[in-house]
Each structure stands twice: as structure tokens, then as C-alpha cells.
């Protein structure tokens, strides 16, 4: 399939046929869900229920890496954690149809968490403490580690190698991103050796759904090795919110407070990664449609200015 249009052949008929092949008989109802890296669909079933079909971006993860994600999700469910894990079909979670790899998930609805609520933050902290207790049992072997190589160097190279970055800003961007990289390296060195565990990896509020029964976590697509604080900082907008998360977390797992010094560095890494991710995926028609601002020089000018401010704050 074409790298320029990785999902061009992913027709509604193919999606429905893939669901049927997984043993869930579709009734033709199909709703595209919000996802850019992969393609995700809610599919109606003949029995009146729904299933979610997730089609993986070709070439992004190896089969082994996807299977590690699935195994981790199933391990968390076995530990009675509220995580949406893939369905097992004839002993497999990673399925194939017409050149695409996909997985089927039960549909789980919910609303965004109320992160102004101390009670909800403590609840999330308890769940993350339990999740990390499971995550610390062993390591990922096929998935990446949250580090400068994956979060700064690779996306920086993607931006520099893309026509999306205006030529007259090439040197300015390289200098600004390099300053952030140096500042992040210094911050990690100052903190010292870290314990890396298996993480959710992208635990922002959009990946937490709340129901009357409480929260559940979705989308472990970015699960990787890294420090525990990575799964906490995106849920904590200020120190009081982080304190509430850690109050719950500490009931199930010890947290090393030295990791809090990494939060500005982790935030900086995410900023660099975001721009590089868009640049790397710009050939996918979904990206210019979703992120039109990235096609304008003024956005890159502001991004470069932001990177300098980040580097100054970290220094």
C-alpha cells in the first residue's frame, strides 16, 4: 500500500468484512472515531451491540510491539484494572485483512474526567499506582523507551527532512530544537538514574473515560518503558492536582519524588515530538485536513520561539 495514502484502500466494506472475520457480525452501521495515527471505527452488530475496530498504521509498530501492547492490556484487565483490552479471536488479538493489521475492542463509553475534583484525581492516582505495580513486574522488549532519541531526535529529523518546515526557518528550527535537547539532557543528568517501568505512555485526559461506575483507561497505543511520572503529569495542571494524584498513587505504590523534576523536560519533549509527528505524517491526507496551521510559516515561527522559551526555562 502507498506510504503517501496508507489508508486509501481501507473502504467501509473492508472494515465490515474485517469485523465479520473476527466473529462479530456487523449490521452495516459504521462510525469513524477520532484518531489520526491509526484508523478507528465503531461498528454496529446484528445483536444490537457495538464493537470498535482499530486498524494500525502500516509500518509504525512491529507485530511484536503491537502484541506486547495487547498482552499488557490483558495483564492489566486480569489484575482487575479498568482498561479496555482487545478481544481475543481464536487465540489471537492481532488480526489481518487485505494487508491491514487490526484489533477488535469492546465499546466502552464515558465522559471526560473532572480534573478539578480532588476525589477524582485521587481515584485516578490509585488506579495508576495499581497499573504501575503491574507494569513494574517485567519489561517491554519490542516497544520503545521514552527518551530523547524517540521524543526529540527522531521527530526533529522528521521536521528537518520535511517540506513542511519552510526552508528559510531550517537553521532557526535546528538551533532551537538543539537547545531544547541540550537542556533536557542536562535535566535528566541532574536527576540521575531512573527506574523505567511499562507505562500507559499517553495518559492525557482524553484517554480516560468516566462513567457512573468510575474511570477506565483506553488507547495503550503509545505504551512504552519510562519513568512513572510520565503517566501522571498530563493529568496534573498544577502542584495541587499532582499532590492529589500522588495521594492516591501512594496507597498502592511508592513514588520517587525526584521524578517530579522531570516534568518540565517531559513537557518539552512532547512539544518537539508534536511538530515532528505532524511533519512526518503530512503525506497522510488526514493530517493537512486536521492540522492546516502547520502548513503556515507563522506557525513554525511561533513553534521556534516557544522552543527557545522552553529551553530558557529548563536551563
Amino acid at each position: 500500500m502507498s506510504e503517501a495514502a496508507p489508508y486509501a484502500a481501507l473502504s467501509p466494506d473492508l472494515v465490515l468484512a474485517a469485523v465479520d472475520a473476527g466473529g462479530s457480525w456487523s449490521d452495516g452501521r459504521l462510525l469513524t472515531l477520532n484518531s489520526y495515527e491509526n484508523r478507528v471505527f465503531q461498528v454496529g452488530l446484528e445483536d444490537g451491540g457495538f464493537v470498535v475496530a482499530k486498524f494500525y498504521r502500516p509500518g509504525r509498530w512491529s507485530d511484536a510491539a503491537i502484541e506486547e501492547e495487547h498482552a499488557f492490556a490483558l495483564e492489566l484487565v486480569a489484575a482487575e484494572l479498568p482498561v479496555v483490552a482487545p478481544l481475543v479471536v481464536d487465540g489471537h488479538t492481532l488480526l489481518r485483512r487485505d494487508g491491514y493489521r487490526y484489533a477488535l475492542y469492546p465499546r466502552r463509553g464515558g465522559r471526560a474526567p473532572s480534573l478539578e475534583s480532588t476525589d477524582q484525581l485521587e481515584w485516578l492516582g490509585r488506579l495508576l499506582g495499581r497499573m504501575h505495580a503491574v507494569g513494574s513486574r517485567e519489561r517491554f522488549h519490542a516497544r520503545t523507551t521514552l527518551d530523547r532519541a524517540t521524543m526529540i531526535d527522531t521527530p526533529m529529523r522528521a521536521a528537518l527532512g520535511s517540506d513542511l518546515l519552510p526552508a528559510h526557518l531550517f537553521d532557526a528550527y535546528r538551533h532551537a530544537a538543539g537547545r531544547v535537547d541540550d537542556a533536557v539532557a542536562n535535566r535528566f543528568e541532574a536527576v540521575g538514574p531512573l527506574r523505567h517501568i511499562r507505562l500507559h505512555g499517553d495518559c492525557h485526559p482524553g484517554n480516560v473515560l468516566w462513567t457512573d461506575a468510575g474511570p477506565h483507561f483506553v488507547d495503550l497505543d503509545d505504551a512504552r518503558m519510562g519513568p512513572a511520572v510520565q503517566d501522571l503529569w498530563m493529568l496534573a495542571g498544577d502542584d495541587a492536582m499532582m499532590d492529589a494524584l500522588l495521594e492516591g498513587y501512594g496507597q498502592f505504590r511508592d513514588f520517587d519524588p525526584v521524578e517530579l523534576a522531570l516534568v518540565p523536560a517531559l513537557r518539552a519533549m512532547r512539544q518537539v515530538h508534536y511538530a515532528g509527528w505532524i511533519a512526518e505524517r503530512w503525506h497522510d491526507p488526514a493530517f493537512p485536513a486536521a492540522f492546516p496551521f502547520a502548513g503556515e510559516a507563522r506557525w513554525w515561527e511561533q513553534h521556534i520561539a516557544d522552543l527557545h522559551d522552553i529551553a530558557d526555562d529548563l536551563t
Side-chain angles (χ1 to χ4, degrees), residues 133-167:
V134 174
S136 64
R137 293 174 181 169
E138 58 180 85
R139 298 181 58 84
F140 286 135
H141 299 285
R143 300 188 72 80
T144 57
T145 297
L146 185 79
D147 56 19
R148 289 166 47 230
T150 57
M151 298 298 291
I152 295 181
D153 186 64
T154 297
M156 181 172 65
R157 290 177 184 273
L160 291 171
S162 169
D163 293 336
L164 189 61
L165 176 64

PDB file of all heavy atoms in Angstrom, residues 133-167:
ATOM      1  N   ALA A 133       2.210  -0.847  39.413  1.00  0.00           N
ATOM      2  CA  ALA A 133       2.649  -2.039  40.145  1.00  0.00           C
ATOM      3  C   ALA A 133       2.693  -3.240  39.204  1.00  0.00           C
ATOM      4  O   ALA A 133       3.615  -4.062  39.253  1.00  0.00           O
ATOM      5  CB  ALA A 133       1.721  -2.309  41.328  1.00  0.00           C
ATOM      6  N   VAL A 134       1.696  -3.332  38.318  1.00  0.00           N
ATOM      7  CA  VAL A 134       1.702  -4.388  37.306  1.00  0.00           C
ATOM      8  C   VAL A 134       2.791  -4.115  36.274  1.00  0.00           C
ATOM      9  O   VAL A 134       3.539  -5.016  35.876  1.00  0.00           O
ATOM     10  CB  VAL A 134       0.325  -4.489  36.619  1.00  0.00           C
ATOM     11  CG1 VAL A 134       0.369  -5.488  35.461  1.00  0.00           C
ATOM     12  CG2 VAL A 134      -0.751  -4.886  37.616  1.00  0.00           C
ATOM     13  N   GLY A 135       2.914  -2.858  35.856  1.00  0.00           N
ATOM     14  CA  GLY A 135       3.894  -2.509  34.841  1.00  0.00           C
ATOM     15  C   GLY A 135       5.323  -2.737  35.256  1.00  0.00           C
ATOM     16  O   GLY A 135       6.205  -2.917  34.407  1.00  0.00           O
ATOM     17  N   SER A 136       5.570  -2.744  36.554  1.00  0.00           N
ATOM     18  CA  SER A 136       6.944  -2.930  37.044  1.00  0.00           C
ATOM     19  C   SER A 136       7.340  -4.392  37.168  1.00  0.00           C
ATOM     20  O   SER A 136       8.480  -4.699  37.520  1.00  0.00           O
ATOM     21  CB  SER A 136       7.099  -2.245  38.411  1.00  0.00           C
ATOM     22  OG  SER A 136       6.257  -2.852  39.381  1.00  0.00           O
ATOM     23  N   ARG A 137       6.423  -5.314  36.863  1.00  0.00           N
ATOM     24  CA  ARG A 137       6.733  -6.737  37.013  1.00  0.00           C
ATOM     25  C   ARG A 137       7.779  -7.212  36.014  1.00  0.00           C
ATOM     26  O   ARG A 137       8.580  -8.087  36.306  1.00  0.00           O
ATOM     27  CB  ARG A 137       5.458  -7.573  36.831  1.00  0.00           C
ATOM     28  CG  ARG A 137       4.422  -7.397  37.917  1.00  0.00           C
ATOM     29  CD  ARG A 137       3.158  -8.170  37.537  1.00  0.00           C
ATOM     30  NE  ARG A 137       2.084  -8.029  38.518  1.00  0.00           N
ATOM     31  CZ  ARG A 137       0.835  -8.438  38.306  1.00  0.00           C
ATOM     32  NH1 ARG A 137       0.508  -9.011  37.136  1.00  0.00           N
ATOM     33  NH2 ARG A 137      -0.083  -8.280  39.239  1.00  0.00           N
ATOM     34  N   GLU A 138       7.730  -6.653  34.796  1.00  0.00           N
ATOM     35  CA  GLU A 138       8.678  -7.039  33.764  1.00  0.00           C
ATOM     36  C   GLU A 138       8.831  -5.892  32.791  1.00  0.00           C
ATOM     37  O   GLU A 138       8.262  -4.822  32.988  1.00  0.00           O
ATOM     38  CB  GLU A 138       8.222  -8.308  33.038  1.00  0.00           C
ATOM     39  CG  GLU A 138       6.852  -8.207  32.393  1.00  0.00           C
ATOM     40  CD  GLU A 138       6.475  -9.497  31.692  1.00  0.00           C
ATOM     41  OE1 GLU A 138       5.943 -10.404  32.368  1.00  0.00           O
ATOM     42  OE2 GLU A 138       6.720  -9.586  30.471  1.00  0.00           O
ATOM     43  N   ARG A 139       9.601  -6.096  31.718  1.00  0.00           N
ATOM     44  CA  ARG A 139       9.897  -5.040  30.757  1.00  0.00           C
ATOM     45  C   ARG A 139       9.231  -5.308  29.411  1.00  0.00           C
ATOM     46  O   ARG A 139       8.915  -6.449  29.087  1.00  0.00           O
ATOM     47  CB  ARG A 139      11.414  -4.943  30.526  1.00  0.00           C
ATOM     48  CG  ARG A 139      12.223  -4.595  31.754  1.00  0.00           C
ATOM     49  CD  ARG A 139      13.695  -4.513  31.410  1.00  0.00           C
ATOM     50  NE  ARG A 139      13.966  -3.523  30.367  1.00  0.00           N
ATOM     51  CZ  ARG A 139      14.125  -2.228  30.582  1.00  0.00           C
ATOM     52  NH1 ARG A 139      14.038  -1.747  31.818  1.00  0.00           N
ATOM     53  NH2 ARG A 139      14.371  -1.407  29.578  1.00  0.00           N
ATOM     54  N   PHE A 140       9.050  -4.213  28.659  1.00  0.00           N
ATOM     55  CA  PHE A 140       8.786  -4.362  27.236  1.00  0.00           C
ATOM     56  C   PHE A 140      10.107  -4.672  26.542  1.00  0.00           C
ATOM     57  O   PHE A 140      11.164  -4.142  26.923  1.00  0.00           O
ATOM     58  CB  PHE A 140       8.219  -3.064  26.642  1.00  0.00           C
ATOM     59  CG  PHE A 140       6.795  -2.768  26.984  1.00  0.00           C
ATOM     60  CD1 PHE A 140       6.408  -1.494  27.378  1.00  0.00           C
ATOM     61  CD2 PHE A 140       5.821  -3.747  26.882  1.00  0.00           C
ATOM     62  CE1 PHE A 140       5.085  -1.204  27.672  1.00  0.00           C
ATOM     63  CE2 PHE A 140       4.487  -3.474  27.168  1.00  0.00           C
ATOM     64  CZ  PHE A 140       4.126  -2.204  27.570  1.00  0.00           C
ATOM     65  N   HIS A 141      10.039  -5.473  25.523  1.00  0.00           N
ATOM     66  CA  HIS A 141      11.239  -5.786  24.745  1.00  0.00           C
ATOM     67  C   HIS A 141      11.146  -5.289  23.308  1.00  0.00           C
ATOM     68  O   HIS A 141      12.175  -4.963  22.701  1.00  0.00           O
ATOM     69  CB  HIS A 141      11.494  -7.294  24.770  1.00  0.00           C
ATOM     70  CG  HIS A 141      11.729  -7.835  26.137  1.00  0.00           C
ATOM     71  ND1 HIS A 141      12.908  -7.646  26.830  1.00  0.00           N
ATOM     72  CD2 HIS A 141      10.914  -8.545  26.976  1.00  0.00           C
ATOM     73  CE1 HIS A 141      12.827  -8.225  28.017  1.00  0.00           C
ATOM     74  NE2 HIS A 141      11.622  -8.767  28.132  1.00  0.00           N
ATOM     75  N   ALA A 142       9.954  -5.215  22.760  1.00  0.00           N
ATOM     76  CA  ALA A 142       9.788  -4.804  21.366  1.00  0.00           C
ATOM     77  C   ALA A 142       9.349  -3.342  21.236  1.00  0.00           C
ATOM     78  O   ALA A 142       9.431  -2.775  20.147  1.00  0.00           O
ATOM     79  CB  ALA A 142       8.769  -5.709  20.668  1.00  0.00           C
ATOM     80  N   ARG A 143       8.894  -2.742  22.327  1.00  0.00           N
ATOM     81  CA  ARG A 143       8.408  -1.368  22.265  1.00  0.00           C
ATOM     82  C   ARG A 143       9.507  -0.391  22.662  1.00  0.00           C
ATOM     83  O   ARG A 143      10.520  -0.772  23.236  1.00  0.00           O
ATOM     84  CB  ARG A 143       7.174  -1.199  23.160  1.00  0.00           C
ATOM     85  CG  ARG A 143       6.033  -2.117  22.741  1.00  0.00           C
ATOM     86  CD  ARG A 143       4.756  -1.839  23.488  1.00  0.00           C
ATOM     87  NE  ARG A 143       4.125  -0.598  23.062  1.00  0.00           N
ATOM     88  CZ  ARG A 143       3.389  -0.490  21.962  1.00  0.00           C
ATOM     89  NH1 ARG A 143       3.200  -1.524  21.156  1.00  0.00           N
ATOM     90  NH2 ARG A 143       2.830   0.664  21.648  1.00  0.00           N
ATOM     91  N   THR A 144       9.299   0.885  22.355  1.00  0.00           N
ATOM     92  CA  THR A 144      10.332   1.888  22.574  1.00  0.00           C
ATOM     93  C   THR A 144      10.383   2.336  24.040  1.00  0.00           C
ATOM     94  O   THR A 144       9.505   2.017  24.845  1.00  0.00           O
ATOM     95  CB  THR A 144      10.077   3.119  21.689  1.00  0.00           C
ATOM     96  OG1 THR A 144       8.769   3.638  21.975  1.00  0.00           O
ATOM     97  CG2 THR A 144      10.166   2.751  20.217  1.00  0.00           C
ATOM     98  N   THR A 145      11.404   3.118  24.331  1.00  0.00           N
ATOM     99  CA  THR A 145      11.571   3.749  25.627  1.00  0.00           C
ATOM    100  C   THR A 145      11.361   5.248  25.478  1.00  0.00           C
ATOM    101  O   THR A 145      11.730   5.836  24.450  1.00  0.00           O
ATOM    102  CB  THR A 145      12.983   3.476  26.182  1.00  0.00           C
ATOM    103  OG1 THR A 145      13.136   2.075  26.391  1.00  0.00           O
ATOM    104  CG2 THR A 145      13.225   4.204  27.500  1.00  0.00           C
ATOM    105  N   LEU A 146      10.766   5.859  26.465  1.00  0.00           N
ATOM    106  CA  LEU A 146      10.576   7.303  26.459  1.00  0.00           C
ATOM    107  C   LEU A 146      11.928   7.957  26.723  1.00  0.00           C
ATOM    108  O   LEU A 146      12.393   7.986  27.858  1.00  0.00           O
ATOM    109  CB  LEU A 146       9.565   7.704  27.541  1.00  0.00           C
ATOM    110  CG  LEU A 146       9.186   9.181  27.573  1.00  0.00           C
ATOM    111  CD1 LEU A 146       8.171   9.486  26.481  1.00  0.00           C
ATOM    112  CD2 LEU A 146       8.624   9.563  28.929  1.00  0.00           C
ATOM    113  N   ASP A 147      12.561   8.450  25.694  1.00  0.00           N
ATOM    114  CA  ASP A 147      13.877   9.061  25.844  1.00  0.00           C
ATOM    115  C   ASP A 147      14.072  10.130  24.779  1.00  0.00           C
ATOM    116  O   ASP A 147      13.204  10.373  23.944  1.00  0.00           O
ATOM    117  CB  ASP A 147      14.983   7.993  25.772  1.00  0.00           C
ATOM    118  CG  ASP A 147      14.932   7.163  24.494  1.00  0.00           C
ATOM    119  OD1 ASP A 147      14.303   7.623  23.514  1.00  0.00           O
ATOM    120  OD2 ASP A 147      15.510   6.065  24.476  1.00  0.00           O
ATOM    121  N   ARG A 148      15.223  10.759  24.807  1.00  0.00           N
ATOM    122  CA  ARG A 148      15.493  11.844  23.864  1.00  0.00           C
ATOM    123  C   ARG A 148      15.543  11.343  22.429  1.00  0.00           C
ATOM    124  O   ARG A 148      15.189  12.067  21.495  1.00  0.00           O
ATOM    125  CB  ARG A 148      16.798  12.539  24.241  1.00  0.00           C
ATOM    126  CG  ARG A 148      16.702  13.370  25.513  1.00  0.00           C
ATOM    127  CD  ARG A 148      18.067  13.763  26.065  1.00  0.00           C
ATOM    128  NE  ARG A 148      18.944  14.285  25.027  1.00  0.00           N
ATOM    129  CZ  ARG A 148      20.198  13.858  24.835  1.00  0.00           C
ATOM    130  NH1 ARG A 148      20.699  12.906  25.612  1.00  0.00           N
ATOM    131  NH2 ARG A 148      20.937  14.394  23.888  1.00  0.00           N
ATOM    132  N   ALA A 149      15.979  10.109  22.232  1.00  0.00           N
ATOM    133  CA  ALA A 149      16.077   9.570  20.879  1.00  0.00           C
ATOM    134  C   ALA A 149      14.704   9.507  20.213  1.00  0.00           C
ATOM    135  O   ALA A 149      14.543   9.878  19.046  1.00  0.00           O
ATOM    136  CB  ALA A 149      16.730   8.192  20.901  1.00  0.00           C
ATOM    137  N   THR A 150      13.702   9.024  20.964  1.00  0.00           N
ATOM    138  CA  THR A 150      12.369   8.842  20.384  1.00  0.00           C
ATOM    139  C   THR A 150      11.528  10.111  20.444  1.00  0.00           C
ATOM    140  O   THR A 150      10.653  10.309  19.594  1.00  0.00           O
ATOM    141  CB  THR A 150      11.600   7.714  21.095  1.00  0.00           C
ATOM    142  OG1 THR A 150      11.509   8.017  22.495  1.00  0.00           O
ATOM    143  CG2 THR A 150      12.304   6.379  20.917  1.00  0.00           C
ATOM    144  N   MET A 151      11.773  10.964  21.406  1.00  0.00           N
ATOM    145  CA  MET A 151      10.906  12.129  21.606  1.00  0.00           C
ATOM    146  C   MET A 151      11.498  13.441  21.093  1.00  0.00           C
ATOM    147  O   MET A 151      10.782  14.426  20.953  1.00  0.00           O
ATOM    148  CB  MET A 151      10.568  12.269  23.091  1.00  0.00           C
ATOM    149  CG  MET A 151       9.804  11.091  23.664  1.00  0.00           C
ATOM    150  SD  MET A 151       8.185  10.848  22.879  1.00  0.00           S
ATOM    151  CE  MET A 151       7.286  12.286  23.468  1.00  0.00           C
ATOM    152  N   ILE A 152      12.818  13.462  20.833  1.00  0.00           N
ATOM    153  CA  ILE A 152      13.426  14.693  20.317  1.00  0.00           C
ATOM    154  C   ILE A 152      14.176  14.428  19.012  1.00  0.00           C
ATOM    155  O   ILE A 152      13.882  15.022  17.982  1.00  0.00           O
ATOM    156  CB  ILE A 152      14.376  15.335  21.356  1.00  0.00           C
ATOM    157  CG1 ILE A 152      13.594  15.805  22.589  1.00  0.00           C
ATOM    158  CG2 ILE A 152      15.113  16.523  20.728  1.00  0.00           C
ATOM    159  CD1 ILE A 152      14.443  16.479  23.650  1.00  0.00           C
ATOM    160  N   ASP A 153      15.141  13.526  19.039  1.00  0.00           N
ATOM    161  CA  ASP A 153      15.995  13.346  17.864  1.00  0.00           C
ATOM    162  C   ASP A 153      15.207  12.888  16.638  1.00  0.00           C
ATOM    163  O   ASP A 153      15.319  13.480  15.561  1.00  0.00           O
ATOM    164  CB  ASP A 153      17.112  12.343  18.182  1.00  0.00           C
ATOM    165  CG  ASP A 153      18.107  12.225  17.036  1.00  0.00           C
ATOM    166  OD1 ASP A 153      18.783  13.220  16.729  1.00  0.00           O
ATOM    167  OD2 ASP A 153      18.185  11.142  16.424  1.00  0.00           O
ATOM    168  N   THR A 154      14.408  11.828  16.790  1.00  0.00           N
ATOM    169  CA  THR A 154      13.661  11.308  15.639  1.00  0.00           C
ATOM    170  C   THR A 154      12.665  12.324  15.092  1.00  0.00           C
ATOM    171  O   THR A 154      12.636  12.567  13.874  1.00  0.00           O
ATOM    172  CB  THR A 154      12.962   9.994  16.011  1.00  0.00           C
ATOM    173  OG1 THR A 154      13.962   9.012  16.331  1.00  0.00           O
ATOM    174  CG2 THR A 154      12.123   9.480  14.863  1.00  0.00           C
ATOM    175  N   PRO A 155      11.822  12.942  15.931  1.00  0.00           N
ATOM    176  CA  PRO A 155      10.893  13.943  15.367  1.00  0.00           C
ATOM    177  C   PRO A 155      11.604  15.177  14.825  1.00  0.00           C
ATOM    178  O   PRO A 155      11.138  15.785  13.856  1.00  0.00           O
ATOM    179  CB  PRO A 155       9.982  14.290  16.549  1.00  0.00           C
ATOM    180  CG  PRO A 155      10.683  13.811  17.763  1.00  0.00           C
ATOM    181  CD  PRO A 155      11.531  12.666  17.348  1.00  0.00           C
ATOM    182  N   MET A 156      12.739  15.569  15.427  1.00  0.00           N
ATOM    183  CA  MET A 156      13.482  16.708  14.904  1.00  0.00           C
ATOM    184  C   MET A 156      13.986  16.408  13.495  1.00  0.00           C
ATOM    185  O   MET A 156      13.893  17.242  12.586  1.00  0.00           O
ATOM    186  CB  MET A 156      14.652  17.055  15.825  1.00  0.00           C
ATOM    187  CG  MET A 156      15.483  18.244  15.367  1.00  0.00           C
ATOM    188  SD  MET A 156      16.721  18.762  16.590  1.00  0.00           S
ATOM    189  CE  MET A 156      17.789  17.310  16.612  1.00  0.00           C
ATOM    190  N   ARG A 157      14.500  15.195  13.299  1.00  0.00           N
ATOM    191  CA  ARG A 157      14.955  14.793  11.963  1.00  0.00           C
ATOM    192  C   ARG A 157      13.788  14.750  10.970  1.00  0.00           C
ATOM    193  O   ARG A 157      13.946  15.097   9.798  1.00  0.00           O
ATOM    194  CB  ARG A 157      15.646  13.436  12.033  1.00  0.00           C
ATOM    195  CG  ARG A 157      16.994  13.458  12.752  1.00  0.00           C
ATOM    196  CD  ARG A 157      17.595  12.059  12.856  1.00  0.00           C
ATOM    197  NE  ARG A 157      18.819  12.064  13.603  1.00  0.00           N
ATOM    198  CZ  ARG A 157      20.028  12.305  13.071  1.00  0.00           C
ATOM    199  NH1 ARG A 157      20.132  12.533  11.768  1.00  0.00           N
ATOM    200  NH2 ARG A 157      21.113  12.295  13.827  1.00  0.00           N
ATOM    201  N   ALA A 158      12.628  14.326  11.455  1.00  0.00           N
ATOM    202  CA  ALA A 158      11.455  14.286  10.583  1.00  0.00           C
ATOM    203  C   ALA A 158      11.082  15.690  10.114  1.00  0.00           C
ATOM    204  O   ALA A 158      10.754  15.904   8.945  1.00  0.00           O
ATOM    205  CB  ALA A 158      10.284  13.633  11.306  1.00  0.00           C
ATOM    206  N   ALA A 159      11.122  16.645  11.031  1.00  0.00           N
ATOM    207  CA  ALA A 159      10.796  18.020  10.664  1.00  0.00           C
ATOM    208  C   ALA A 159      11.826  18.589   9.691  1.00  0.00           C
ATOM    209  O   ALA A 159      11.477  19.238   8.696  1.00  0.00           O
ATOM    210  CB  ALA A 159      10.697  18.893  11.910  1.00  0.00           C
ATOM    211  N   LEU A 160      13.102  18.345   9.974  1.00  0.00           N
ATOM    212  CA  LEU A 160      14.166  18.871   9.114  1.00  0.00           C
ATOM    213  C   LEU A 160      14.154  18.225   7.735  1.00  0.00           C
ATOM    214  O   LEU A 160      14.589  18.832   6.755  1.00  0.00           O
ATOM    215  CB  LEU A 160      15.527  18.654   9.783  1.00  0.00           C
ATOM    216  CG  LEU A 160      15.786  19.488  11.043  1.00  0.00           C
ATOM    217  CD1 LEU A 160      17.055  19.026  11.743  1.00  0.00           C
ATOM    218  CD2 LEU A 160      15.887  20.973  10.687  1.00  0.00           C
ATOM    219  N   GLY A 161      13.646  17.013   7.655  1.00  0.00           N
ATOM    220  CA  GLY A 161      13.594  16.314   6.380  1.00  0.00           C
ATOM    221  C   GLY A 161      12.294  16.491   5.632  1.00  0.00           C
ATOM    222  O   GLY A 161      12.095  15.877   4.579  1.00  0.00           O
ATOM    223  N   SER A 162      11.423  17.341   6.151  1.00  0.00           N
ATOM    224  CA  SER A 162      10.098  17.521   5.561  1.00  0.00           C
ATOM    225  C   SER A 162      10.018  18.838   4.811  1.00  0.00           C
ATOM    226  O   SER A 162      10.607  19.854   5.205  1.00  0.00           O
ATOM    227  CB  SER A 162       9.034  17.497   6.656  1.00  0.00           C
ATOM    228  OG  SER A 162       7.784  17.910   6.172  1.00  0.00           O
ATOM    229  N   ASP A 163       9.256  18.849   3.730  1.00  0.00           N
ATOM    230  CA  ASP A 163       8.987  20.095   3.013  1.00  0.00           C
ATOM    231  C   ASP A 163       8.050  21.003   3.806  1.00  0.00           C
ATOM    232  O   ASP A 163       7.868  22.169   3.443  1.00  0.00           O
ATOM    233  CB  ASP A 163       8.354  19.789   1.649  1.00  0.00           C
ATOM    234  CG  ASP A 163       9.315  19.086   0.701  1.00  0.00           C
ATOM    235  OD1 ASP A 163      10.538  19.227   0.890  1.00  0.00           O
ATOM    236  OD2 ASP A 163       8.843  18.388  -0.215  1.00  0.00           O
ATOM    237  N   LEU A 164       7.468  20.483   4.866  1.00  0.00           N
ATOM    238  CA  LEU A 164       6.538  21.274   5.663  1.00  0.00           C
ATOM    239  C   LEU A 164       7.256  22.422   6.375  1.00  0.00           C
ATOM    240  O   LEU A 164       6.706  23.514   6.527  1.00  0.00           O
ATOM    241  CB  LEU A 164       5.831  20.375   6.677  1.00  0.00           C
ATOM    242  CG  LEU A 164       4.668  20.974   7.449  1.00  0.00           C
ATOM    243  CD1 LEU A 164       3.555  21.398   6.513  1.00  0.00           C
ATOM    244  CD2 LEU A 164       4.138  19.957   8.464  1.00  0.00           C
ATOM    245  N   LEU A 165       8.479  22.168   6.835  1.00  0.00           N
ATOM    246  CA  LEU A 165       9.262  23.205   7.506  1.00  0.00           C
ATOM    247  C   LEU A 165       9.807  24.170   6.439  1.00  0.00           C
ATOM    248  O   LEU A 165      10.572  23.755   5.571  1.00  0.00           O
ATOM    249  CB  LEU A 165      10.418  22.572   8.279  1.00  0.00           C
ATOM    250  CG  LEU A 165      11.401  23.532   8.957  1.00  0.00           C
ATOM    251  CD1 LEU A 165      10.699  24.340  10.048  1.00  0.00           C
ATOM    252  CD2 LEU A 165      12.590  22.763   9.542  1.00  0.00           C
ATOM    253  N   PRO A 166       9.422  25.448   6.484  1.00  0.00           N
ATOM    254  CA  PRO A 166       9.903  26.393   5.464  1.00  0.00           C
ATOM    255  C   PRO A 166      11.429  26.448   5.429  1.00  0.00           C
ATOM    256  O   PRO A 166      12.091  26.444   6.479  1.00  0.00           O
ATOM    257  CB  PRO A 166       9.304  27.727   5.927  1.00  0.00           C
ATOM    258  CG  PRO A 166       8.094  27.352   6.719  1.00  0.00           C
ATOM    259  CD  PRO A 166       8.466  26.078   7.417  1.00  0.00           C
ATOM    260  N   ALA A 167      11.980  26.492   4.229  1.00  0.00           N
ATOM    261  CA  ALA A 167      13.433  26.426   4.059  1.00  0.00           C
ATOM    262  C   ALA A 167      14.143  27.550   4.809  1.00  0.00           C
ATOM    263  O   ALA A 167      15.226  27.346   5.382  1.00  0.00           O
ATOM    264  CB  ALA A 167      13.777  26.471   2.572  1.00  0.00           C
TER     265      ALA A 167
END
